[in-house]
Amino acid sequence: MDISFNPIQSIDKAMRLLFKNDAELSQQFTNSFDPIIRAADPKFADFQANGILPLAKKNRLNPVQLANDVCKKLLDSQAIDSSLFEISVAGPGFINFKLKAAYLSRWLENFSSTKAIQQETSQWLNKEVTVIDFPSANTAKQAHIGHLRPMVIGESIARILEFSGASIIRDNHIGDWGTNFGTLIMILKEKGIHVTDFTNPAEALELIDSLYKEGTKLENNNPELRNVSRNELLKLQNGDTENTYIWQSIIDVSNQAFEKLFEQLDVKIDYTLGESFYKDKVSRVYDELSSLEIAEESDGALVVWHNEIKKFAKDNKRPFPFNIRKKDGASNYASTDLATILYRIEHFKAKSVIYLTDSRQQDHFEQLFLTTKKWFQKKDYPLPKLKHVWWGTILGIDNKPIKTKSGESIKLQSLLDEAIERALKVVREKNPELPLDEQNEIAKAVGIGALKYVDLSSNRTQDYVFDWDRMLSFDGNTAPYLLYVIARINSIFRKAELNLSDSSLSNYFEVQSLYEIQLARKLIQFPITLNQTLSDLRPHFLSTYLFDLAGVFNNFYNNEKVIDSNPSIQQRRLSLCHRTHTVLSTGLKLLGITTVERM
Ligand code: ARG
C-alpha cells in the first residue's frame, strides 16, 4: 500500500478493489459499492467508512456482521496494510481506520515541504482555466468597508484554487457604465471643474464621491437638471469626445485609488474588463437569444422567462422575468453579464467562472446561470461551471450593519489605517526592544492579517460582528494567535541554532510519544481540509483547521521538551516543529495572510 497524500484515497481504493476482486463480495453485490470515507471523531479514529450500513440495509443483511466480514477480508487479503492502519468495526456497522505511527512517520517524510505538498494538490484541478470575477466594485465611488469582503474572500479563493492546480484568471469586472455618469458629468460642467486638475487619485475620488451626492441633490430640487444629466449620459453612450474624456478620467482615478488598496491588501488582478468593455458586444446577445427563442419582447423590453424559478412576481402568475434589454433599448447589468460569459468562454477558454458578490445578488446569478444554460444548450456550446460565491453582512457590536458614529459607511482606507495603528500599539507593548522598522512591518502584517482573518474565519454566508479587541487578541481564533505560533517556532529554531531550511529536517523520523502522535495526526488532516475548503469555496474550513492545529501544537510544545540533551529526540521534535511551520505558513498564505519572523 502506498502512503497517499490524502489517506482517504488509499482507503477508498482498497475497499473498492476488495469488493471487485473478492469472489464472494463481487458475486453478492454486483452493483458498484461506495465506501463513503470521512474524517472520524479523533477520539476514536482518523477515518470512518460509512458505506457498509446502507449496503447491508439494501440487501437485508446484518450491518455489523457485514462490517466484520469486510474488516477481516481487508486484512486477510492485505488490501489494508496492518502495519499502517488499525481497523475496527464501530457503532451500527461503520469501519474505523486509525493511522499507525508508521503511516504518520512516512507521510511526514513524503510531504515535508510546501513544494512537496503542492506537487500533490496541483493535480487536483488539472489546469482547469477558471475566471474569478472579483472584487468588481462600481467605479466613481470611494471604497468602504463593504469592499473588504470581495477583496479578502476573492484573493483567498483565487490562491486556494491556484494551489489546487487551476489556471486562474483574475478578472475585475468593474461597474463603469452606470447611469451615475450622467449626473457626474452634469455637475462637473455645472461647477466648471476640470478633470485635468485631478492629481491625487484618493483625493479626487473623494471629491467625485461628494460631487455625485451634490449632483443628485440638485437634480431633486431642479428636475430640469435631470434632463441635462440624461442628455450627458446619452452623449457619453454615443461616443461624444468630451464626455468620453471626462468619463475615462474618472475611471482612471477610481482604478488608481483601488490599486493602492489592492497593494496594501496584497490582492492581485490580471484584467480589469468592466461593463463598458462589453458595450459593443451586447447586440450579439440580443440577436442570439431572440433568434433561439429564449428571449422575447415584453412591454418593449427584451426578457427571458424562467418558469422553473418559484419566486413569483406580485400578480402571482409568473416568476420575475430576467430583463436583458431596457425599454429604451439600453443595455443593463444582465446584458453585459451575458456578453461577459461569452467573452470568457471564447477569449479566455474558461471552463469555470466564479463570481463574488454579496448575498443580495443571488437572484441575478440564478437567472444568469439558467439563461446561459438554455442558451449554450441550444447553440451547442460547452457549458462552463458557473458558481456564485456570496456572503453576509459585516455587523457592528450592536448587531446592525456597521456604520460610523454619524451613520455613514466606514472608508476602507481608514479601516486599514486603524488596523495597523492598533496593531502597532500591541506590538510596541509586547516587543519594545525591536527596532522601529521591524515594529512597523509586524504591525502591518498583524493589523491587515487580523482584518482579513476575521473575515475569513466565519462561514462566509453568515453575517459577522466586527470587534477590534477580539480580532487583535492573542488568544482565540485570531490572526495574531496563529502568527504568534509561527514566530514561536522560529524562535525555537534560533535557540537550536538550526535553519528551518536545513536538509536534515526532511529526513525520516518515527513519531513516538502521545503528543507527537497527536500532532502528526492533525498535520496529515491538511489535504482533507484543503479538499473540504475547495469543494464549496469556504475558507473558514481552512482557518478553523489552522486554529486547531495551532492548539495541538501548543499542547505538544507545553508537554514535550523540544530542545533536549538526547540528539535523536531533539531532531525528531524539531522536525515536527518544522512540519507544523510548513503547514501553518502554507495555510496562512492561502488565506492571503503575511507571516512575520518574530513578534
Ligand atoms: N459591480 C457589481 C457590484 O458592485 C458586482 C459585479 C459582479 N460581477 C458580475 N459579473 N456581475 O455590485
Side-chain angles (χ1 to χ4, degrees), residues 94-132:
F94 305 134
I95 301 180
N96 273 351
F97 295 79
K98 201 165 173 176
L99 301 177
K100 289 192 168 174
Y103 193 111
L104 298 171
S105 306
R106 285 195 28 213
W107 191 95
L108 291 170
E109 181 195 16
N110 289 356
F111 311 108
S112 66
S113 63
T114 303
K115 205 170 146 219
I117 291 172
Q118 181 156 26
Q119 236 163 42
E120 295 293 321
T121 58
S122 63
Q123 295 161 31
W124 292 354
L125 292 178
N126 211 9
K127 302 201 174 66
E128 184 169 285
V129 178
T130 303
V131 171
I132 169 158

mmCIF file of all heavy atoms in Angstrom, residues 94-132:
data_model
loop_
_atom_site.group_PDB
_atom_site.id
_atom_site.type_symbol
_atom_site.label_atom_id
_atom_site.label_comp_id
_atom_site.label_asym_id
_atom_site.label_seq_id
_atom_site.Cartn_x
_atom_site.Cartn_y
_atom_site.Cartn_z
ATOM 1 N N PHE A 94 -20.174 0.719 11.057
ATOM 2 C CA PHE A 94 -19.122 1.543 10.429
ATOM 3 C C PHE A 94 -17.794 0.823 10.575
ATOM 4 O O PHE A 94 -17.641 -0.031 11.445
ATOM 5 C CB PHE A 94 -19.000 2.901 11.115
ATOM 6 C CG PHE A 94 -20.287 3.672 11.169
ATOM 7 C CD1 PHE A 94 -20.706 4.293 12.347
ATOM 8 C CD2 PHE A 94 -21.079 3.793 10.032
ATOM 9 C CE1 PHE A 94 -21.896 5.004 12.394
ATOM 10 C CE2 PHE A 94 -22.266 4.510 10.071
ATOM 11 C CZ PHE A 94 -22.681 5.110 11.257
ATOM 12 N N ILE A 95 -16.824 1.214 9.736
ATOM 13 C CA ILE A 95 -15.471 0.690 9.934
ATOM 14 C C ILE A 95 -14.548 1.872 10.246
ATOM 15 O O ILE A 95 -14.512 2.859 9.502
ATOM 16 C CB ILE A 95 -14.959 -0.083 8.700
ATOM 17 C CG1 ILE A 95 -15.914 -1.252 8.407
ATOM 18 C CG2 ILE A 95 -13.551 -0.594 8.941
ATOM 19 C CD1 ILE A 95 -15.511 -2.094 7.213
ATOM 20 N N ASN A 96 -13.864 1.775 11.357
ATOM 21 C CA ASN A 96 -12.937 2.825 11.775
ATOM 22 C C ASN A 96 -11.516 2.491 11.325
ATOM 23 O O ASN A 96 -11.077 1.351 11.444
ATOM 24 C CB ASN A 96 -12.934 2.941 13.298
ATOM 25 C CG ASN A 96 -14.024 3.884 13.779
ATOM 26 O OD1 ASN A 96 -14.665 4.577 12.979
ATOM 27 N ND2 ASN A 96 -14.228 3.925 15.089
ATOM 28 N N PHE A 97 -10.835 3.505 10.852
ATOM 29 C CA PHE A 97 -9.434 3.355 10.435
ATOM 30 C C PHE A 97 -8.578 4.311 11.244
ATOM 31 O O PHE A 97 -8.825 5.511 11.231
ATOM 32 C CB PHE A 97 -9.261 3.706 8.950
ATOM 33 C CG PHE A 97 -9.974 2.773 8.017
ATOM 34 C CD1 PHE A 97 -11.344 2.892 7.813
ATOM 35 C CD2 PHE A 97 -9.281 1.783 7.339
ATOM 36 C CE1 PHE A 97 -12.013 2.032 6.950
ATOM 37 C CE2 PHE A 97 -9.939 0.922 6.482
ATOM 38 C CZ PHE A 97 -11.304 1.043 6.288
ATOM 39 N N LYS A 98 -7.602 3.755 11.931
ATOM 40 C CA LYS A 98 -6.696 4.610 12.684
ATOM 41 C C LYS A 98 -5.307 4.468 12.059
ATOM 42 O O LYS A 98 -4.852 3.353 11.796
ATOM 43 C CB LYS A 98 -6.680 4.158 14.134
ATOM 44 C CG LYS A 98 -6.214 5.224 15.056
ATOM 45 C CD LYS A 98 -6.530 4.916 16.503
ATOM 46 C CE LYS A 98 -5.851 5.981 17.334
ATOM 47 N NZ LYS A 98 -6.128 5.895 18.726
ATOM 48 N N LEU A 99 -4.661 5.594 11.817
ATOM 49 C CA LEU A 99 -3.333 5.536 11.210
ATOM 50 C C LEU A 99 -2.314 5.140 12.262
ATOM 51 O O LEU A 99 -2.294 5.693 13.357
ATOM 52 C CB LEU A 99 -2.954 6.901 10.628
ATOM 53 C CG LEU A 99 -3.890 7.453 9.553
ATOM 54 C CD1 LEU A 99 -3.440 8.835 9.116
ATOM 55 C CD2 LEU A 99 -3.938 6.518 8.360
ATOM 56 N N LYS A 100 -1.469 4.182 11.922
ATOM 57 C CA LYS A 100 -0.409 3.792 12.864
ATOM 58 C C LYS A 100 0.784 4.739 12.712
ATOM 59 O O LYS A 100 0.910 5.451 11.702
ATOM 60 C CB LYS A 100 0.002 2.353 12.591
ATOM 61 C CG LYS A 100 -1.066 1.355 13.018
ATOM 62 C CD LYS A 100 -0.517 -0.049 13.009
ATOM 63 C CE LYS A 100 -1.497 -0.988 13.706
ATOM 64 N NZ LYS A 100 -1.063 -2.394 13.584
ATOM 65 N N ALA A 101 1.672 4.688 13.693
ATOM 66 C CA ALA A 101 2.835 5.582 13.675
ATOM 67 C C ALA A 101 3.620 5.452 12.373
ATOM 68 O O ALA A 101 4.164 6.432 11.871
ATOM 69 C CB ALA A 101 3.728 5.296 14.873
ATOM 70 N N ALA A 102 3.654 4.229 11.806
ATOM 71 C CA ALA A 102 4.430 4.026 10.580
ATOM 72 C C ALA A 102 3.857 4.863 9.428
ATOM 73 O O ALA A 102 4.611 5.442 8.637
ATOM 74 C CB ALA A 102 4.435 2.550 10.203
ATOM 75 N N TYR A 103 2.516 4.911 9.342
ATOM 76 C CA TYR A 103 1.901 5.724 8.283
ATOM 77 C C TYR A 103 2.231 7.196 8.512
ATOM 78 O O TYR A 103 2.694 7.915 7.618
ATOM 79 C CB TYR A 103 0.374 5.526 8.248
ATOM 80 C CG TYR A 103 -0.273 6.081 6.991
ATOM 81 C CD1 TYR A 103 -0.829 5.232 6.033
ATOM 82 C CD2 TYR A 103 -0.312 7.450 6.751
ATOM 83 C CE1 TYR A 103 -1.410 5.731 4.869
ATOM 84 C CE2 TYR A 103 -0.884 7.954 5.600
ATOM 85 C CZ TYR A 103 -1.433 7.089 4.658
ATOM 86 O OH TYR A 103 -1.994 7.589 3.507
ATOM 87 N N LEU A 104 1.987 7.638 9.754
ATOM 88 C CA LEU A 104 2.205 9.059 10.078
ATOM 89 C C LEU A 104 3.640 9.465 9.759
ATOM 90 O O LEU A 104 3.890 10.497 9.145
ATOM 91 C CB LEU A 104 1.904 9.297 11.565
ATOM 92 C CG LEU A 104 0.464 9.019 12.012
ATOM 93 C CD1 LEU A 104 0.351 9.072 13.537
ATOM 94 C CD2 LEU A 104 -0.490 10.033 11.377
ATOM 95 N N SER A 105 4.596 8.607 10.176
ATOM 96 C CA SER A 105 6.006 8.956 10.001
ATOM 97 C C SER A 105 6.364 9.032 8.527
ATOM 98 O O SER A 105 7.075 9.937 8.094
ATOM 99 C CB SER A 105 6.900 7.923 10.682
ATOM 100 O OG SER A 105 6.508 7.787 12.026
ATOM 101 N N ARG A 106 5.846 8.080 7.772
ATOM 102 C CA ARG A 106 6.194 8.103 6.349
ATOM 103 C C ARG A 106 5.508 9.258 5.625
ATOM 104 O O ARG A 106 6.078 9.857 4.719
ATOM 105 C CB ARG A 106 5.904 6.755 5.703
ATOM 106 C CG ARG A 106 6.987 5.786 6.153
ATOM 107 C CD ARG A 106 7.117 4.499 5.389
ATOM 108 N NE ARG A 106 6.714 4.507 4.009
ATOM 109 C CZ ARG A 106 6.168 3.437 3.426
ATOM 110 N NH1 ARG A 106 5.962 2.336 4.124
ATOM 111 N NH2 ARG A 106 5.872 3.481 2.157
ATOM 112 N N TRP A 107 4.303 9.581 6.045
ATOM 113 C CA TRP A 107 3.614 10.735 5.443
ATOM 114 C C TRP A 107 4.431 12.008 5.702
ATOM 115 O O TRP A 107 4.670 12.819 4.805
ATOM 116 C CB TRP A 107 2.205 10.887 6.041
ATOM 117 C CG TRP A 107 1.320 11.878 5.323
ATOM 118 C CD1 TRP A 107 0.422 11.582 4.347
ATOM 119 C CD2 TRP A 107 1.257 13.302 5.513
ATOM 120 N NE1 TRP A 107 -0.204 12.735 3.915
ATOM 121 C CE2 TRP A 107 0.283 13.812 4.608
ATOM 122 C CE3 TRP A 107 1.915 14.210 6.347
ATOM 123 C CZ2 TRP A 107 -0.046 15.162 4.528
ATOM 124 C CZ3 TRP A 107 1.597 15.560 6.252
ATOM 125 C CH2 TRP A 107 0.628 16.030 5.356
ATOM 126 N N LEU A 108 4.901 12.143 6.930
ATOM 127 C CA LEU A 108 5.665 13.350 7.280
ATOM 128 C C LEU A 108 6.989 13.417 6.522
ATOM 129 O O LEU A 108 7.522 14.492 6.285
ATOM 130 C CB LEU A 108 5.922 13.384 8.794
ATOM 131 C CG LEU A 108 4.673 13.609 9.659
ATOM 132 C CD1 LEU A 108 4.997 13.384 11.129
ATOM 133 C CD2 LEU A 108 4.104 15.011 9.444
ATOM 134 N N GLU A 109 7.482 12.254 6.145
ATOM 135 C CA GLU A 109 8.708 12.234 5.343
ATOM 136 C C GLU A 109 8.391 12.623 3.888
ATOM 137 O O GLU A 109 9.075 13.457 3.292
ATOM 138 C CB GLU A 109 9.328 10.830 5.371
ATOM 139 C CG GLU A 109 10.614 10.738 4.569
ATOM 140 C CD GLU A 109 11.039 9.306 4.280
ATOM 141 O OE1 GLU A 109 10.208 8.378 4.421
ATOM 142 O OE2 GLU A 109 12.207 9.114 3.897
ATOM 143 N N ASN A 110 7.332 12.041 3.348
ATOM 144 C CA ASN A 110 6.997 12.284 1.926
ATOM 145 C C ASN A 110 6.537 13.714 1.641
ATOM 146 O O ASN A 110 6.784 14.251 0.571
ATOM 147 C CB ASN A 110 5.883 11.341 1.468
ATOM 148 C CG ASN A 110 6.370 9.917 1.352
ATOM 149 O OD1 ASN A 110 7.555 9.653 1.548
ATOM 150 N ND2 ASN A 110 5.471 8.998 1.059
ATOM 151 N N PHE A 111 5.807 14.295 2.597
ATOM 152 C CA PHE A 111 5.213 15.618 2.330
ATOM 153 C C PHE A 111 5.771 16.640 3.317
ATOM 154 O O PHE A 111 5.050 17.222 4.112
ATOM 155 C CB PHE A 111 3.684 15.520 2.374
ATOM 156 C CG PHE A 111 3.168 14.389 1.541
ATOM 157 C CD1 PHE A 111 2.645 13.239 2.127
ATOM 158 C CD2 PHE A 111 3.289 14.434 0.157
ATOM 159 C CE1 PHE A 111 2.228 12.179 1.346
ATOM 160 C CE2 PHE A 111 2.866 13.369 -0.633
ATOM 161 C CZ PHE A 111 2.333 12.243 -0.032
ATOM 162 N N SER A 112 7.083 16.796 3.235
ATOM 163 C CA SER A 112 7.750 17.591 4.262
ATOM 164 C C SER A 112 7.841 19.072 3.935
ATOM 165 O O SER A 112 8.126 19.876 4.803
ATOM 166 C CB SER A 112 9.160 17.039 4.496
ATOM 167 O OG SER A 112 9.938 17.235 3.342
ATOM 168 N N SER A 113 7.591 19.444 2.676
ATOM 169 C CA SER A 113 7.734 20.866 2.329
ATOM 170 C C SER A 113 6.491 21.367 1.591
ATOM 171 O O SER A 113 5.697 20.569 1.080
ATOM 172 C CB SER A 113 8.937 21.049 1.403
ATOM 173 O OG SER A 113 8.687 20.346 0.198
ATOM 174 N N THR A 114 6.363 22.685 1.517
ATOM 175 C CA THR A 114 5.245 23.268 0.761
ATOM 176 C C THR A 114 5.300 22.767 -0.678
ATOM 177 O O THR A 114 4.273 22.459 -1.288
ATOM 178 C CB THR A 114 5.351 24.806 0.766
ATOM 179 O OG1 THR A 114 5.376 25.233 2.122
ATOM 180 C CG2 THR A 114 4.176 25.450 0.086
ATOM 181 N N LYS A 115 6.524 22.648 -1.193
ATOM 182 C CA LYS A 115 6.677 22.218 -2.584
ATOM 183 C C LYS A 115 6.139 20.799 -2.782
ATOM 184 O O LYS A 115 5.409 20.520 -3.742
ATOM 185 C CB LYS A 115 8.163 22.291 -2.957
ATOM 186 C CG LYS A 115 8.385 22.460 -4.413
ATOM 187 C CD LYS A 115 9.840 22.769 -4.722
ATOM 188 C CE LYS A 115 10.187 22.127 -6.068
ATOM 189 N NZ LYS A 115 11.525 21.558 -6.090
ATOM 190 N N ALA A 116 6.498 19.924 -1.838
ATOM 191 C CA ALA A 116 6.026 18.541 -1.946
ATOM 192 C C ALA A 116 4.506 18.479 -1.823
ATOM 193 O O ALA A 116 3.837 17.706 -2.517
ATOM 194 C CB ALA A 116 6.681 17.685 -0.865
ATOM 195 N N ILE A 117 3.971 19.303 -0.945
ATOM 196 C CA ILE A 117 2.518 19.332 -0.766
ATOM 197 C C ILE A 117 1.852 19.848 -2.036
ATOM 198 O O ILE A 117 0.877 19.304 -2.534
ATOM 199 C CB ILE A 117 2.143 20.206 0.458
ATOM 200 C CG1 ILE A 117 2.587 19.504 1.743
ATOM 201 C CG2 ILE A 117 0.653 20.501 0.486
ATOM 202 C CD1 ILE A 117 2.450 20.327 3.007
ATOM 203 N N GLN A 118 2.451 20.902 -2.584
ATOM 204 C CA GLN A 118 1.820 21.474 -3.778
ATOM 205 C C GLN A 118 1.909 20.547 -4.982
ATOM 206 O O GLN A 118 1.034 20.549 -5.848
ATOM 207 C CB GLN A 118 2.396 22.841 -4.129
ATOM 208 C CG GLN A 118 1.655 23.350 -5.361
ATOM 209 C CD GLN A 118 1.629 24.815 -5.565
ATOM 210 O OE1 GLN A 118 2.512 25.518 -5.102
ATOM 211 N NE2 GLN A 118 0.622 25.269 -6.273
ATOM 212 N N GLN A 119 2.956 19.736 -5.026
ATOM 213 C CA GLN A 119 3.061 18.795 -6.130
ATOM 214 C C GLN A 119 1.834 17.880 -6.160
ATOM 215 O O GLN A 119 1.365 17.496 -7.221
ATOM 216 C CB GLN A 119 4.319 17.951 -5.948
ATOM 217 C CG GLN A 119 5.224 18.034 -7.144
ATOM 218 C CD GLN A 119 6.611 17.562 -6.795
ATOM 219 O OE1 GLN A 119 6.781 16.558 -6.096
ATOM 220 N NE2 GLN A 119 7.604 18.285 -7.249
ATOM 221 N N GLU A 120 1.337 17.552 -4.990
ATOM 222 C CA GLU A 120 0.135 16.709 -4.904
ATOM 223 C C GLU A 120 -1.115 17.507 -5.267
ATOM 224 O O GLU A 120 -1.895 17.094 -6.114
ATOM 225 C CB GLU A 120 -0.028 16.177 -3.467
ATOM 226 C CG GLU A 120 1.078 15.242 -3.044
ATOM 227 C CD GLU A 120 1.048 13.934 -3.824
ATOM 228 O OE1 GLU A 120 -0.045 13.422 -4.088
ATOM 229 O OE2 GLU A 120 2.150 13.439 -4.152
ATOM 230 N N THR A 121 -1.297 18.666 -4.611
ATOM 231 C CA THR A 121 -2.554 19.405 -4.805
ATOM 232 C C THR A 121 -2.671 19.957 -6.221
ATOM 233 O O THR A 121 -3.772 20.132 -6.723
ATOM 234 C CB THR A 121 -2.669 20.585 -3.817
ATOM 235 O OG1 THR A 121 -1.547 21.438 -3.994
ATOM 236 C CG2 THR A 121 -2.714 20.109 -2.389
ATOM 237 N N SER A 122 -1.518 20.225 -6.848
ATOM 238 C CA SER A 122 -1.593 20.860 -8.168
ATOM 239 C C SER A 122 -2.172 19.913 -9.221
ATOM 240 O O SER A 122 -2.426 20.332 -10.345
ATOM 241 C CB SER A 122 -0.218 21.356 -8.593
ATOM 242 O OG SER A 122 0.639 20.258 -8.720
ATOM 243 N N GLN A 123 -2.390 18.656 -8.847
ATOM 244 C CA GLN A 123 -3.012 17.742 -9.821
ATOM 245 C C GLN A 123 -4.538 17.736 -9.699
ATOM 246 O O GLN A 123 -5.236 17.219 -10.557
ATOM 247 C CB GLN A 123 -2.495 16.320 -9.594
ATOM 248 C CG GLN A 123 -1.005 16.195 -9.871
ATOM 249 C CD GLN A 123 -0.414 14.963 -9.225
ATOM 250 O OE1 GLN A 123 -1.082 13.959 -9.081
ATOM 251 N NE2 GLN A 123 0.844 15.042 -8.818
ATOM 252 N N TRP A 124 -5.031 18.291 -8.625
ATOM 253 C CA TRP A 124 -6.470 18.175 -8.374
ATOM 254 C C TRP A 124 -7.328 18.796 -9.461
ATOM 255 O O TRP A 124 -8.309 18.219 -9.894
ATOM 256 C CB TRP A 124 -6.831 18.801 -7.020
ATOM 257 C CG TRP A 124 -6.306 18.061 -5.836
ATOM 258 C CD1 TRP A 124 -5.660 16.854 -5.843
ATOM 259 C CD2 TRP A 124 -6.380 18.461 -4.464
ATOM 260 N NE1 TRP A 124 -5.331 16.483 -4.570
ATOM 261 C CE2 TRP A 124 -5.758 17.456 -3.698
ATOM 262 C CE3 TRP A 124 -6.906 19.564 -3.813
ATOM 263 C CZ2 TRP A 124 -5.648 17.528 -2.308
ATOM 264 C CZ3 TRP A 124 -6.801 19.635 -2.439
ATOM 265 C CH2 TRP A 124 -6.176 18.626 -1.697
ATOM 266 N N LEU A 125 -7.004 20.034 -9.846
ATOM 267 C CA LEU A 125 -7.894 20.732 -10.779
ATOM 268 C C LEU A 125 -7.389 20.727 -12.217
ATOM 269 O O LEU A 125 -7.995 21.335 -13.099
ATOM 270 C CB LEU A 125 -8.161 22.165 -10.303
ATOM 271 C CG LEU A 125 -8.992 22.249 -9.026
ATOM 272 C CD1 LEU A 125 -9.184 23.688 -8.595
ATOM 273 C CD2 LEU A 125 -10.347 21.583 -9.204
ATOM 274 N N ASN A 126 -6.260 20.021 -12.406
ATOM 275 C CA ASN A 126 -5.856 19.708 -13.769
ATOM 276 C C ASN A 126 -5.786 20.916 -14.710
ATOM 277 O O ASN A 126 -6.305 20.866 -15.816
ATOM 278 C CB ASN A 126 -6.867 18.676 -14.304
ATOM 279 C CG ASN A 126 -6.217 17.751 -15.288
ATOM 280 O OD1 ASN A 126 -4.995 17.782 -15.437
ATOM 281 N ND2 ASN A 126 -7.015 16.960 -15.970
ATOM 282 N N LYS A 127 -5.206 21.993 -14.246
ATOM 283 C CA LYS A 127 -5.001 23.212 -15.057
ATOM 284 C C LYS A 127 -6.300 23.818 -15.602
ATOM 285 O O LYS A 127 -6.295 24.573 -16.579
ATOM 286 C CB LYS A 127 -4.056 22.938 -16.232
ATOM 287 C CG LYS A 127 -2.683 22.427 -15.821
ATOM 288 C CD LYS A 127 -1.673 22.674 -16.936
ATOM 289 C CE LYS A 127 -0.262 22.315 -16.520
ATOM 290 N NZ LYS A 127 -0.079 20.867 -16.274
ATOM 291 N N GLU A 128 -7.409 23.485 -15.009
ATOM 292 C CA GLU A 128 -8.702 23.984 -15.480
ATOM 293 C C GLU A 128 -8.713 25.521 -15.515
ATOM 294 O O GLU A 128 -8.490 26.167 -14.493
ATOM 295 C CB GLU A 128 -9.778 23.476 -14.527
ATOM 296 C CG GLU A 128 -11.173 23.825 -14.926
ATOM 297 C CD GLU A 128 -12.185 23.053 -14.071
ATOM 298 O OE1 GLU A 128 -12.349 21.853 -14.318
ATOM 299 O OE2 GLU A 128 -12.762 23.652 -13.152
ATOM 300 N N VAL A 129 -8.978 26.079 -16.683
ATOM 301 C CA VAL A 129 -8.998 27.546 -16.793
ATOM 302 C C VAL A 129 -10.223 28.091 -16.047
ATOM 303 O O VAL A 129 -11.356 27.765 -16.369
ATOM 304 C CB VAL A 129 -9.021 28.016 -18.267
ATOM 305 C CG1 VAL A 129 -9.091 29.533 -18.337
ATOM 306 C CG2 VAL A 129 -7.792 27.501 -19.001
ATOM 307 N N THR A 130 -9.947 28.882 -15.035
ATOM 308 C CA THR A 130 -11.004 29.373 -14.155
ATOM 309 C C THR A 130 -10.921 30.889 -14.068
ATOM 310 O O THR A 130 -9.893 31.429 -13.681
ATOM 311 C CB THR A 130 -10.811 28.775 -12.746
ATOM 312 O OG1 THR A 130 -10.803 27.355 -12.862
ATOM 313 C CG2 THR A 130 -11.898 29.205 -11.788
ATOM 314 N N VAL A 131 -11.998 31.549 -14.470
ATOM 315 C CA VAL A 131 -12.034 33.001 -14.318
ATOM 316 C C VAL A 131 -12.654 33.295 -12.966
ATOM 317 O O VAL A 131 -13.711 32.770 -12.632
ATOM 318 C CB VAL A 131 -12.863 33.661 -15.440
ATOM 319 C CG1 VAL A 131 -13.082 35.143 -15.139
ATOM 320 C CG2 VAL A 131 -12.162 33.497 -16.778
ATOM 321 N N ILE A 132 -11.979 34.099 -12.181
ATOM 322 C CA ILE A 132 -12.570 34.515 -10.917
ATOM 323 C C ILE A 132 -12.846 36.016 -10.983
ATOM 324 O O ILE A 132 -11.956 36.817 -11.232
ATOM 325 C CB ILE A 132 -11.745 34.027 -9.699
ATOM 326 C CG1 ILE A 132 -12.212 34.695 -8.427
ATOM 327 C CG2 ILE A 132 -10.278 34.127 -9.865
ATOM 328 C CD1 ILE A 132 -11.829 33.907 -7.196
#
